[in-house]
Amino acid sequence: MQAPTPGYGTGILFVLGATLGWSLAGVFVRLMPDLDGWQINCWRGFWMSVFLLVYLVAVYGRDTAAKFREVPIPALIAVAGFFTAGSTLYVTSLTLAGTATVSVIGALSPIFAGVLSPWITQERPSLASWVAAFLALAGVGVIAWEGVNAGNLAGIVVSLLVPLSFAGQTVTLRRYRAVDMVPAICVGGVVTFFLAGAMGYFFGGHSGGGFQVSLQQMLLLAIMGPLQLSIPLIWYAKGAKAVPAVTLSLVAMLDVVLNPLWSWVGVGEIPTQSAFIGGAIIVGAVVISIFGDRWLRQRGANR
């Protein structure tokens, strides 16, 4: 039995909840300073898939295998592939370019989603969506301006592929919104587990590759996987059933605002003035994306 499609407001709440979960990444990383990105991606992907499988069994019971088969093969490959690519490329981009550069380029995700939407979802972003997308990009630019550097060509190219992967996953979830895409995300976590584990041999310098972690770190990763990935991705997939792709990507950009907020609350790291200004711009962009179309329609109706 297919779950009812949520309304627009409920969909926005799902995406906000997903973004809140994703923003906890920095907190977990701080708790595991001895691990590199390959180790974290490897095991959080594993525990994410374990939790998603448990969730699917709890929801569908004996029909769980059927739900995996219901996902169209192109959708399964796209969602699993984009998730794996995004996770892997993000770690790689940080080794080739500065964090600020990666952040600014990552803010192109809503713009990529807007370009892809007419082709993939047959949805044309509105003027309000485009304004919000470029405003959000400007906000991230304000936050990261001091740390932006030219980097090298390889770093720029790899960094560009990160938001493209996220946009690709977003429009695919939106395109196949009539199907439960959680099984495809579950497959993506398994692929990430093996790929990041193997990549750890070559780039992490660990004898055990990305698979090599201590018991204490494993326990933290077993919490991180469900809390920071599984539950947010379930909510994001639900939100994609009711919210256009550009708005999905824009709301997810609140992660840029929430991440330093948790550091401020948790360890007393006071954000810079540019972080406050840029964060306010991003919040404004998200508000425009959520309410802009309705406001414009109401204004036009009142004329």
Side-chain angles (χ1 to χ4, degrees):
M1 181 178 177
Q2 186 68 38
T5 301
Y8 180 77
T10 303
I12 289 293
L13 290 177
F14 275 130
V15 184
L16 285 171
T19 306
L20 182 63
W22 287 331
S23 71
L24 297 174
V27 175
F28 280 105
V29 169
R30 287 180 178 278
L31 294 174
M32 299 175 286
D34 296 329
L35 297 186
D36 63 22
W38 302 115
Q39 294 167 305
I40 292 174
N41 269 331
C42 173
W43 286 104
R44 76 169 184 164
F46 172 83
W47 289 113
M48 178 199 80
S49 290
V50 168
F51 182 90
L52 289 181
L53 186 58
V54 171
Y55 163 80
L56 289 168
V57 171
V59 173
Y60 297 114
R62 294 180 179 179
D63 295 330
T64 300
K67 288 299 176 181
F68 277 86
R69 292 193 296 269
E70 282 182 12
V71 180
I73 296 300
L76 178 66
I77 294 173
V79 169
F82 282 131
F83 176 83
T84 301
S87 298
T88 305
L89 290 167
Y90 179 70
V91 174
T92 305
S93 68
L94 291 175
T95 67
L96 299 172
T99 302
T101 301
V102 174
S103 297
V104 171
I105 293 175
L108 291 171
S109 178
I111 297 172
F112 287 150
V115 172
L116 293 172
S117 287
W119 303 94
I120 308 299
T121 68
Q122 286 73 56
E123 295 174 322
R124 293 189 176 277
S126 65
L127 175 61
S129 295
W130 283 117
V131 169
F134 283 100
L135 188 62
L137 177 61
V140 175
V142 170
I143 294 174
W145 179 256
E146 295 179 359
V148 172
N149 54 72
N152 53 53
L153 180 60
I156 298 299
V157 171
V158 173
S159 298
L160 279 169
L161 293 176
V162 176
L164 185 58
S165 296
F166 184 73
Q169 177 172 291
T170 297
V171 297
T172 304
L173 289 173
R174 182 66 179 159
R175 167 67 176 81
Y176 293 96
R177 55 189 178 274
V179 181
D180 189 346
M181 296 300 292
V182 172
I185 299 172
C186 184
V187 173
V190 174
V191 176
T192 300
F193 168 68
F194 286 108
L195 182 60
M199 296 286 274
Y201 283 107
F202 303 102
F203 300 102
H206 307 293
S207 59
F211 304 106
Q212 181 180 326
V213 298
S214 68
L215 177 60
Q216 180 181 1
Q217 292 164 338
M218 181 67 77
L219 292 175
L220 285 171
L221 288 162
I223 298 172
M224 183 183 188
L227 191 61
Q228 195 263 325
L229 271 185
S230 303
I231 296 173
L233 283 167
I234 290 171
W235 288 344
Y236 194 70
K238 288 181 179 294
K241 294 179 180 297
V243 180
V246 176
T247 303
L248 282 168
S249 298
L250 278 162
V251 175
M253 281 189 61
L254 287 175
D255 172 64
V256 178
V257 180
L258 292 172
N259 248 313
L261 176 63
W262 298 137
S263 297
W264 186 14
V265 173
V267 296
E269 290 187 0
I270 301 176
T272 62
Q273 183 179 13
S274 60
F276 282 109
I277 296 173
I281 295 173
I282 293 171
V283 171
V286 172
V287 171
I288 291 173
S289 177
I290 294 173
F291 300 107
D293 291 342
R294 296 187 178 187
W295 180 78
L296 288 174
R297 283 198 298 267
Q298 289 176 354
R299 185 178 179 184
N302 293 332
R303 286 184 176 177

